[in-house]
Amino acid sequence: MDGFVTWPAEFAARYRAAGHWQDRTLGEVLAEAFAAHADRTALVADDGRSFTYKRLDRLSQRLALHLRALGLALYDRVVLHLPNTPEAVIAFLGIVRAGGIPIMALPPHREAEIGHFARHAEATCYVVGDRLRDIDGQALAQAVAQDCPSLRLVLVGGGEPRKGFRGIAALLEDPIEERIAADVLPRPDPSLPALLLLSGGTTGVPKLIPRTHNDYAVNFLRCAEVCGLGADTVLLIAIPQGHNFALGCPGLLGTLSRGGRELLLSSPAPDHVIEMMQRHRVTHFVGVPTMVLGLLDHPRRKSHDLSALRTVITGGSKLNPEVGMRVRRELGCDLQQVLGMAEGPLFYTRLDDPEEVKIETQGRLILPDDEFRIVDPDSGAEVEPGAVGELWCRGPYTIRGYYRAAEHNAKAFSADGFYKSGDLARLHPSGNVVVDGRIKDCINRGGEKISSEEVENHMLAHPAVANCALVAMPDARLGEKGCAWVVLRPGASLTLESLTKFLSDERRIARFKLPERLEITEALPLTNVGKVDKKALRDITATLAARD
């Protein structure tokens, strides 16, 4: 496949010999669960809808057949852009079963991001929600289609589809399987991409991450095992279903593989989460640290029965140890920390780890053939145990390159195939890793990664902006927010409100990327080699935030 970087032959042989790669498609892996648990509940949504394994199987196959009938070819790329509804699950499964490759966009993404994904991957289909929070999804689809010649099919979830579009609801009501046999569905090569996830995006818009059937299957199967999921699991997902964390770490696919039930929420608001946890007797709560803190600090938490809760699984950003200690003490359940990247590497604390290890570390890798190094980022030489360095990883589910990004791949991967994560980490005496920050220019806003460079490029288009920099600002709830430092053009003025309005209305970037503080300055500090000194700006910003 053009632009897909494969594993070297000797590594592929090793992973197959060890049983990590089983040369089965995602559809074939999940078919076992659909057959074994046909009458059990697989998915429950907060709109009251519920789906057994049998029904989920039937509807996803029906959509796959419709996609084929509408012209979706094997390995066609499909931008999947739906809110947290059952249609998001059915569409993902249907696209994969049809042999397509879903690009896992997130609900906040807008024209700048969606247009890039569609053009870069030459997507032929766009699956979009009628409403995406405050966004008119169908208007967004019309704008994207005008600028993407390869896009020939738009499916709409929710609402009445406009002229030229197709509604998912109507397709799911049409029993096409009575007219077309399932054997028209192609079998993808398990060693080729099954889906394209999104990078955190530290240089421009997010890169596309090709995850194969082989590597993603071992990803979610092993995660489900490490997290102790089973047929009695009720796992709550309130983060976007398209996130790697929500999809396969262990997420939807890990839960289905064990015969459990996913509870899919349309909102991560603590009020809603707590109510749904009690109503559905949730056993596993998946959330970024801000969501965990929101649960702990909710004023009415103690009035709800959360006694079914067994484990809080948290990742996306580093958990404050103080918050970790509160989980056991106040919720009476276990805690698992995850250091995960859509590129593949997954570090988990284990359920039988000592308490201090669960609280103080972000875990260890999940397979014997996983490898990691902690290195000096300049020389690539491994640092002494306990010293801080950049975390490099490779293994059976860690990619060897981004999709269609040869120039970037030369920088993001070592000559011997290790992914350079950009995370600063150190080895804990337990053998687990502890994250101590990042070397990449990225803001982690409650688990959402914001590329400073991408937002800066958009800010520079503002007529009042001569130069700018976006840096992380500490935030007690979200961990970090974006602070924009701006040098104005002569005679110009700028407010935070006018800047964010421009970025939202004119540049059409996702709302979570908008700066939340504006500082006007006569000049940006520079390093000795003339680059903007982001470290100095971060230090100044942290001081300003502490004074507020």
Side-chain angles (χ1 to χ4, degrees), residues 298-337:
H298 195 277
R300 293 192 292 107
R301 171 176 56 80
K302 293 182 180 179
S303 66
H304 287 70
D305 179 8
L306 307 183
S307 60
L309 187 62
R310 298 178 200 161
T311 310
V312 167
I313 306 170
T314 186
S317 59
K318 186 175 180 179
L319 184 73
N320 185 302
E322 293 298 321
V323 178
M325 287 188 284
R326 289 181 60 193
V327 168
R328 169 73 80 177
R329 184 172 65 245
E330 298 179 28
L331 297 179
C333 67
D334 217 328
L335 171 71
Q336 278 193 289
Q337 293 203 54

Side-chain angles (χ1 to χ4, degrees), residues 257-485:
S257 74
R258 310 285 279 200
R261 177 186 310 177
E262 176 176 283
L263 172 61
L264 186 61
L265 302 191
S266 57
S267 168
D271 268 341
H272 189 50
V273 169
I274 289 173
E275 175 62 31
M276 292 296 103
M277 288 180 75
Q278 175 179 263
R279 182 181 304 176
H280 295 278
R281 305 290 293 167
V282 166
T283 62
H284 291 72
F285 172 61
V286 173
V288 296
T290 53
M291 295 172 65
V292 177
L293 192 58
L295 178 63
L296 289 166
D297 289 343
H298 195 277
R300 293 192 292 107
R301 171 176 56 80
K302 293 182 180 179
S303 66
H304 287 70
D305 179 8
L306 307 183
S307 60
L309 187 62
R310 298 178 200 161
T311 310
V312 167
I313 306 170
T314 186
S317 59
K318 186 175 180 179
L319 184 73
N320 185 302
E322 293 298 321
V323 178
M325 287 188 284
R326 289 181 60 193
V327 168
R328 169 73 80 177
R329 184 172 65 245
E330 298 179 28
L331 297 179
C333 67
D334 217 328
L335 171 71
Q336 278 193 289
Q337 293 203 54
V338 187
L339 168 59
M341 299 151 228
E343 290 81 358
L346 287 166
F347 295 74
Y348 276 82
T349 58
R350 303 300 200 266
L351 294 170
D352 59 355
D353 277 341
E355 284 300 306
E356 64 272 16
V357 173
K358 292 179 183 179
I359 292 167
E360 296 173 5
T361 80
Q362 281 66 65
R364 58 189 179 275
L365 289 161
I366 61 175
L367 286 177
D369 283 300
D370 281 327
E371 303 171 79
F372 78 97
R373 298 172 181 166
I374 299 177
V375 307
D376 180 292
D378 295 322
S379 68
E382 292 195 47
V383 301
E384 293 294 320
V388 175
E390 184 182 10
L391 185 64
W392 290 9
C393 304
R394 73 180 182 188
Y397 53 89
T398 297
I399 64 169
R400 290 301 185 106
Y402 293 99
Y403 182 59
R404 295 183 173 178
E407 184 177 345
H408 183 71
N409 288 340
K411 303 173 184 177
F413 295 83
S414 69
D416 54 354
F418 278 82
Y419 165 62
K420 302 176 182 180
S421 73
D423 288 314
L424 293 173
R426 55 187 167 85
L427 190 63
H428 188 267
S430 65
N432 286 11
V433 300
V434 178
V435 176
D436 279 333
R438 293 180 311 281
I439 61 172
K440 290 184 176 181
D441 192 9
C442 181
I443 296 164
N444 191 337
R445 186 188 186 278
E448 297 282 9
K449 310 299 192 302
I450 303 169
S451 164
S452 293
E453 181 180 324
E454 178 194 359
V455 180
E456 288 163 358
N457 288 337
H458 287 295
M459 288 197 294
L460 285 169
H462 193 290
V465 177
N467 200 2
C468 65
L470 186 75
V471 297
M473 174 178 66
D475 181 80
R477 186 174 67 88
L478 294 169
E480 293 177 345
K481 291 181 179 178
C483 175
W485 287 83

Side-chain angles (χ1 to χ4, degrees), residues 483 485 517 519 539-548:
C483 175
W485 287 83
R517 184 184 185 117
E519 294 291 337
D539 291 344
I540 298 168
T541 303
T543 301
L544 294 174
R547 291 175 182 170
D548 291 346

Side-chain angles (χ1 to χ4, degrees), residues 62-63 66 87 156-161 165-176 179:
R62 180 175 293 175
L63 184 60
H66 276 294
E87 286 74 19
V156 178
E160 188 67 25
F165 297 169
R166 298 273 188 154
I168 293 176
L171 297 179
L172 294 180
E173 290 173 0
D174 175 18
I176 190 174
R179 307 188 299 274

